[in-house]
Amino acid sequence: KKKMIVQKKTSCTKNTSNHLKIGFIGSTNAGKTTLLNALTYFGTNFEDRKHDALMDESLFTTVDANISIISPPDTRFQWLHTNLNLGMKDVISSGKTLLTIIDTAGLVEGSFIQGKGVGAQTLQHTKLVDVLFHVIRVHDDDKHISTYNGVVDPVQELHIVNQEILMMDLDTIEHELMTIDELLHSRIGGEYLAFEKRTLLKAWEFLSGEERPQQSEQFMRSKSKFKKAKLPPSCNGHAIRFGKWDLRERELLTTYNLLSAKEVVYLLNVSARDYLRIISTAHSPTDDMDTNTAAVEEQKKQKKVSSNVKFEAVKAVITSELGANSAVLPVSCKWEWSLVEMDKNGELEEYWAANATHKSCVNSLMKACYRAVGILHFYTLTTLSEDEYDGKMDSNGQKIDPYRLKCWTLKVGSSVVDAAAMVDIHIARNFIRCDIVAFEDFHKCNGDKVKVILEGRLKSETKKYVVNDGDIILDFYYHKSPEI
């Protein structure tokens, strides 16, 4: 007998390419679109900037999902580019990382079950993202308050959004279980389909916190189609990413692109004053002093009182309910947009010069994004061949630098052979060794390769070496195939 093959969905494994996708989720007027516009402004070239997404104080301002593609700033890449005097043409073709940001409409209680607002519809666009940024409004500026119930309650908004995501995933699993039940009833699928049903039932119960209602045997014999099981009014379970799944179950669940299975970075949108206060106290010089002195103790008390109380309260709820390792970052969407307005008016450089301690959240957001998906960056700085170099000039009449700089992304814990495969599969198959220097060491030597070698900072590594974030691979050594 011929075995009938049931076609499976395309697996959506964690992305390790230079192009990641981020989904913004949150309640209404949390600041998602404002932050999207700020990131888009500083992450694109001037000629590539399009009109900003609509920002307004009314409810459900975002109707359709806003999608933006940016090139996030990489300070290490920029330093290498500046100090090596690479032309702009080489930088464009140097493999810089790209990010697609998807901004969805705000979610309110009952968005999915009762159809309130448009958040449930636009949330479908985030199915294929690599990481979710959950924006939570913490500040309570009365002049710009326009929430669904008229009150700013960050903890309640956190629970509502999480509940809507669990309900959407539960509905997705229920639809798949209906299809599987029909196939099994028709004796199609065999052992794998039975395993798929067991895994989805386990996920259904993990999300809802209760058992799924079973179809009766009499109904199964009399009906050709199975009806959808009644979903509970609320999910009392947990997100899929917190479950204990074996490798086979995890690979199966990734094919369904469940939102609760994705990593989440929580962005607490505070006021500009509180944001600047938090980032200034986070790196206070008093942290390295003697803690036994009464003066330092008094300073610590003042720091604790001056920090945003709501920010600390919401952060404590997230770490206690959603895991101590949850990424929680302070942002001020309004302040980030004020930087955009200052840059448009030509006042931003003067502002940075007068306020050296003020820092934008862009770099911390990008680091949190890549850390959440377990991705690091490494760089290749290789010498051009004689055919490629040979004293050529660029369009401005300047001599082309004899280096090619590229930025790559790689899964954390990967070997140098995996890094070589990103560059050229032929190098990986015939790999012998490579010369590597850490970015910090290269920076201390002012980008001088000769100085790196003389100071003993250059390392020669073999196949077992695990690549670290910021490693610069200067040269690959491999067996070259004989010419035919």
Side-chain angles (χ1 to χ4, degrees):
K1 296 182 179 180
K2 294 183 179 180
K3 294 183 178 179
M4 183 172 290
I5 300 175
V6 179
Q7 186 177 3
K8 294 169 56 182
K9 296 182 181 64
T10 303
S11 176
C12 181
T13 55
K14 284 191 175 180
N15 190 1
T16 57
S17 67
N18 277 24
H19 194 167
L20 296 181
K21 294 182 179 180
I22 299 175
F24 278 4
I25 60 173
S27 60
T28 57
N29 285 5
K32 305 182 293 298
T33 306
T34 305
L35 185 58
L36 169 75
N37 287 334
L39 293 176
T40 303
Y41 182 87
F42 289 112
T44 56
N45 296 325
F46 180 79
E47 59 271 11
D48 297 333
R49 291 170 189 161
K50 299 180 180 180
H51 63 277
D52 299 323
L54 178 62
M55 298 182 297
D56 193 55
E57 300 169 12
S58 59
L59 291 175
F60 307 118
T61 304
T62 303
V63 178
D64 298 322
N66 299 313
I67 302 176
S68 177
I69 300 178
I70 68 171
S71 178
D74 186 342
T75 54
R76 294 178 298 195
F77 187 90
Q78 292 171 356
W79 185 90
L80 290 171
H81 162 238
T82 303
N83 287 271
L84 292 171
N85 297 319
L86 296 179
M88 183 57 65
K89 185 176 181 180
D90 290 335
V91 175
I92 294 175
S93 61
S94 58
K96 293 186 69 175
T97 55
L98 295 175
L99 284 178
T100 295
I101 305 178
I102 302 175
D103 168 36
T104 60
L107 295 170
V108 297
E109 189 174 5
S111 290
F112 183 75
I113 297 297
Q114 303 176 20
K116 295 181 179 179
V118 292
Q121 292 88 332
T122 59
L123 203 60
Q124 296 289 345
H125 293 276
T126 62
K127 285 282 187 177
L128 297 178
V129 301
D130 301 294
V131 61
L132 295 174
F133 276 11
H134 187 171
V135 183
I136 304 173
R137 178 176 175 172
V138 178
H139 68 87
D140 52 356
D141 188 355
D142 293 336
K143 296 179 181 180
H144 301 86
I145 186 170
S146 181
T147 58
Y148 190 73
N149 54 5
V151 179
V152 176
D153 190 343
V155 176
Q156 183 184 17
E157 292 180 1
L158 170 68
H159 292 156
I160 288 175
V161 174
N162 288 340
Q163 186 68 214
E164 296 300 320
I165 289 177
L166 295 183
M167 292 299 297
M168 177 169 288
D169 284 351
L170 191 66
D171 184 72
T172 300
I173 293 176
E174 178 58 34
H175 277 89
E176 296 297 333
L177 283 172
M178 287 174 56
T179 304
I180 293 175
D181 284 337
E182 293 175 4
L183 292 174
L184 289 176
H185 182 62
S186 303
R187 301 181 183 276
I188 299 175
E191 181 181 352
Y192 180 80
L193 210 58
F195 157 75
E196 193 170 357
K197 180 179 179 179
R198 290 195 303 269
T199 304
L200 291 179
L201 281 174
K202 180 181 176 182
W204 201 99
E205 295 172 359
F206 188 78
L207 285 169
S208 63
E210 58 186 62
E211 293 185 2
R212 178 176 179 258
Q214 299 294 327
Q215 306 282 4
S216 64
E217 291 294 330
Q218 182 179 2
F219 177 83
M220 291 170 62
R221 295 191 188 97
S222 60
K223 300 290 184 180
S224 59
K225 290 187 178 181
F226 284 69
K227 66 177 182 179
K228 180 180 176 180
K230 185 178 180 180
L231 298 179
S234 61
C235 289
N236 299 320
H238 305 279
I240 294 294
R241 65 182 179 276
F242 297 127
K244 295 181 179 179
W245 316 97
D246 59 33
L247 181 60
R248 195 180 178 195
E249 292 173 339
R250 195 180 302 113
E251 290 178 350
L252 173 63
L253 291 174
T254 11
T255 63
Y256 295 107
N257 300 318
L258 301 174
L259 292 178
S260 65
K262 302 181 185 299
E263 296 296 330
V264 182
V265 177
Y266 297 93
L267 307 180
L268 304 189
N269 183 15
V270 298
S271 63
R273 180 185 60 182
D274 289 327
Y275 171 74
L276 297 176
R277 185 183 299 162
I278 291 171
I279 63 173
S280 62
T281 57
H283 305 284
S284 175
T286 59
D287 295 338
D288 300 327
M289 297 173 59
D290 185 7
T291 57
N292 294 326
T293 62
V296 173
E297 291 294 333
E298 183 63 25
Q299 288 178 352
K300 287 189 174 183
K301 289 180 181 179
Q302 293 178 0
K303 282 170 52 180
K304 186 175 181 180
V305 172
S306 63
S307 61
N308 192 341
V309 177
K310 280 191 175 182
F311 171 81
E312 298 296 338
V314 178
K315 183 178 179 180
V317 172
I318 293 175
T319 54
S320 62
E321 297 183 3
L322 303 174
N325 296 326
S326 300
V328 183
L329 300 176
V331 298
S332 177
C333 301
K334 188 177 179 180
W335 183 73
E336 294 292 335
W337 183 247
S338 68
L339 297 179
V340 174
E341 294 178 337
M342 282 189 284
D343 187 65
K344 290 179 179 179
N345 298 329
E347 303 171 354
L348 187 58
E349 293 185 3
E350 182 180 352
Y351 175 81
W352 289 133
N355 302 274
T357 59
H358 295 183
K359 295 180 180 180
S360 173
C361 69
V362 175
N363 287 332
S364 59
L365 293 189
M366 297 304 102
K367 290 180 180 178
C369 171
Y370 289 109
R371 194 182 301 117
V373 295
I375 286 180
L376 57 82
H377 291 79
F378 73 95
Y379 308 89
T380 55
L381 186 61
T382 54
T383 306
L384 297 177
S385 65
E386 294 182 0
D387 295 335
E388 295 174 304
Y389 176 48
D390 197 24
K392 292 181 179 179
M393 303 291 181
D394 60 13
S395 59
N396 297 324
Q398 300 293 329
K399 196 174 183 180
I400 296 178
D401 197 282
Y403 286 108
R404 175 185 286 124
L405 173 66
K406 285 191 177 183
C407 174
W408 309 84
T409 53
L410 190 66
K411 191 72 177 175
V412 173
S414 300
S415 67
V416 71
V417 179
D418 298 323
M422 299 286 292
V423 180
D424 191 338
I425 191 63
H426 177 73
I427 298 177
R429 290 173 178 172
N430 302 277
F431 183 86
I432 301 175
R433 65 180 179 87
C434 66
D435 292 338
I436 294 181
V437 59
F439 175 81
E440 291 76 12
D441 294 334
F442 200 71
H443 186 271
K444 291 177 182 178
C445 297
N446 297 321
D448 188 349
K449 183 178 178 180
V450 176
K451 190 175 181 181
V452 169
I453 297 175
L454 293 177
E455 294 186 5
R457 300 180 186 272
L458 187 67
K459 299 179 292 183
S460 182
E461 301 292 350
T462 56
K463 294 181 178 180
K464 295 183 179 180
Y465 177 76
V466 177
V467 180
N468 297 315
D469 185 48
D471 277 350
I472 303 173
I473 302 179
L474 298 179
D475 289 297
F476 287 104
Y477 299 91
Y478 56 97
H479 297 287
K480 296 184 179 180
S481 302
E483 296 182 1
I484 301 176

